[in-house]
Amino acid sequence: MSRYAVNSLLYRLKKDTAYRALFLREPEAALADVDLTDDERAAFLARDARRINELGGFLHLVMSVPGIAAH
Amino acid sequence: MGRIVFAGAMSHVLDPDYYDHACGQVGRRMVEEIMAEIRRMGDRCVAARPDALVIVADDHLNAFSFNAVPALCVRVGTHVDRMVQEEAEAFDRALEGMPLRYPLHEALAATILERGLQDGFDLAFSWEAPLDHAFLSPANTMYGQRPLPPLVPIWVNCFVAPQPTAARCFALGRHIARAVAASPWNVAIIGTGGLSHFPELSLARVGETDTVFDRKILHWLAEAEYEPLSALTADELHKAGEHELLNWIVVAGAVTPARAELRYFGELPRINLTAVEWALP
């Protein structure tokens, strides 16, 4: 199963406009309290959609989160 | 005694801009072609005068998140709202411009739910889940400016493993058919999504399809060979990018032994756009 932490973060980034704006403005601050591995954190900081997907990020979320979307 | 008066299945991102962006002019042309076929399917559906439209589709982690992922879920209540996504991307943009609220057929949903509980079919149910493109893009394409009949949205968890089996989805269709038969209503039913795309849900493989697998499925549907269809495994569906076929299998179960007639098949380097309509007695 896809990793919960990665996907719950993707879901929050898609649905929570204020949190998404913070992530796009100050990504390190936005992720400070999120429980991620070093690999996962690096993928989000790089907004590397393919890597996030490889790490268990649900494809349809990766394709549709504004600011990360790769399609 | 109620009966199913229309049954179809079709791809569910019916958005020329999306396929133009993904595949260029050929994408726009093909999706416009399939939309024209689906509008004609809608004409026949309207002519059959359904009291309700059952839509079997999947969630894309829009309606349900990580608090619960129901295997099978029916929407209850008097009305349902469409999903609103700010700064929408990709397939979510297909929803833009569509009406925000739709009536539900509360009594048919209750019949499917309550009869199911008595017969060993314990569906989840929701009063709040919104509808995304998987439900509204086909329904609005079929009906155009005409008012939609009251809806009965049913979600199948096609994407978040572990999914319900193909056999269980076929059995859900049989259950829906029994519920309709015991009701006073004429009912239309559609299943949405597919055919092959997004194998293994890998972003690196977006763009791959499996036309051989699709042709096999279309043959089974055309010949009403529903045993091999119901025997497909989650692994087979995942590898071929046929996750959303589960929705079609529900409809096949609802109308078996009817055969499906192919209305459109178009190969794109993203998805094989497909529409079928069952020949009902």
Side-chain angles (χ1 to χ4, degrees):
Chain A
M1 279 202 261
S2 297
R3 192 160 187 281
Y4 169 73
V6 169
N7 282 310
S8 59
L9 174 57
L10 284 170
Y11 186 81
R12 188 176 177 196
L13 285 169
K14 179 167 180 178
K15 298 296 181 184
D16 183 338
T17 309
Y19 182 69
R20 182 165 68 246
L22 175 64
F23 172 79
L24 295 175
R25 194 173 63 244
E26 299 176 55
E28 293 190 12
L31 298 183
D33 296 328
V34 183
D35 178 23
L36 297 171
T37 67
D38 291 347
D39 270 1
E40 292 162 353
R41 191 174 305 275
F44 276 97
L45 289 176
R47 293 194 224 164
D48 184 342
R50 185 173 292 201
R51 186 69 186 135
I52 293 169
N53 176 241
E54 287 168 358
L55 291 167
F58 184 74
L59 177 63
H60 292 85
L61 286 178
V62 169
M63 290 178 75
S64 65
V65 175
I68 291 182
H71 51 86
Chain B
M1 178 170 151
R3 64 190 189 96
I4 293 174
V5 295
F6 178 89
M10 68 283 287
S11 306
H12 65 204
V13 182
L14 302 171
D15 179 0
D17 289 343
Y18 175 78
Y19 284 108
D20 194 310
H21 180 78
C23 309
Q25 271 298 318
V26 65
R28 176 177 296 276
R29 177 177 62 77
M30 280 197 187
V31 78
E32 286 175 348
E33 287 172 358
I34 193 174
M35 289 172 75
E37 285 296 334
I38 291 168
R39 279 193 286 272
R40 286 191 278 274
M41 290 168 69
D43 292 343
R44 290 188 288 276
C45 184
V46 168
R49 302 175 58 113
D51 299 304
L53 172 60
V54 176
I55 308 177
V56 184
D58 46 274
D59 186 35
H60 301 83
L61 287 178
N62 285 319
F64 305 108
S65 64
F66 300 93
N67 53 359
V69 180
L72 305 166
C73 180
V74 60
R75 184 62 160 75
V76 297
T78 59
H79 64 271
V80 62
D81 290 337
R82 82 155 163 87
M83 181 181 92
V84 175
Q85 174 64 44
E86 291 178 50
E87 302 170 79
E89 290 278 0
F91 28 76
D92 291 341
R93 300 172 81 170
L95 288 169
E96 290 176 351
M98 289 183 189
L100 286 165
R101 180 160 287 191
Y102 301 82
L104 294 173
H105 201 295
E106 198 170 16
L108 179 58
T111 300
I112 290 170
L113 182 61
E114 291 167 12
R115 187 184 168 97
L117 289 165
Q118 290 166 17
D119 292 352
F121 234 108
D122 305 346
L123 290 159
F125 54 105
S126 170
W127 277 275
E128 293 185 353
L131 301 184
D132 73 4
H133 66 275
F135 292 85
L136 295 178
S137 188
N140 280 313
T141 301
M142 284 174 68
Y143 274 73
Q145 297 301 311
R146 297 170 288 208
L148 283 163
L151 306 179
V152 180
I154 295 177
W155 285 269
V156 174
N157 171 28
C158 293
F159 285 122
V160 184
Q163 296 93 332
T165 64
R168 185 64 170 161
C169 290
F170 192 82
L172 173 62
R174 301 301 308 131
H175 164 63
I176 292 169
R178 287 190 295 271
V180 169
S183 83
W185 301 297
N186 288 334
V187 174
I189 181 168
I190 59 172
T192 85
L195 280 178
S196 64
H197 64 298
F198 301 173
E200 298 187 315
L201 301 179
S202 161
L203 185 58
R205 296 187 61 195
V206 166
E208 295 181 33
T209 58
D210 190 337
T211 299
V212 172
F213 202 107
D214 287 340
R215 293 283 186 195
K216 176 173 72 176
I217 289 162
L218 292 172
H219 171 76
W220 287 341
L221 292 169
E223 299 299 324
E225 291 180 13
Y226 297 136
E227 284 188 22
L229 192 71
S230 303
L232 287 168
T233 66
D235 191 51
E236 288 174 292
L237 297 174
H238 187 56
K239 285 181 173 157
E242 299 282 7
H243 306 84
E244 291 169 334
L245 185 63
L246 292 177
N247 302 323
W248 294 40
I249 292 173
V250 174
V251 181
V255 297
T256 184
R259 297 163 185 254
E261 297 174 351
L262 184 62
R263 293 286 179 255
Y264 190 83
F265 186 73
E267 295 178 54
L268 280 179
R270 164 70 59 131
I271 185 170
N272 285 341
L273 293 171
T274 316
V276 303
E277 183 175 337
W278 277 267
L280 300 178

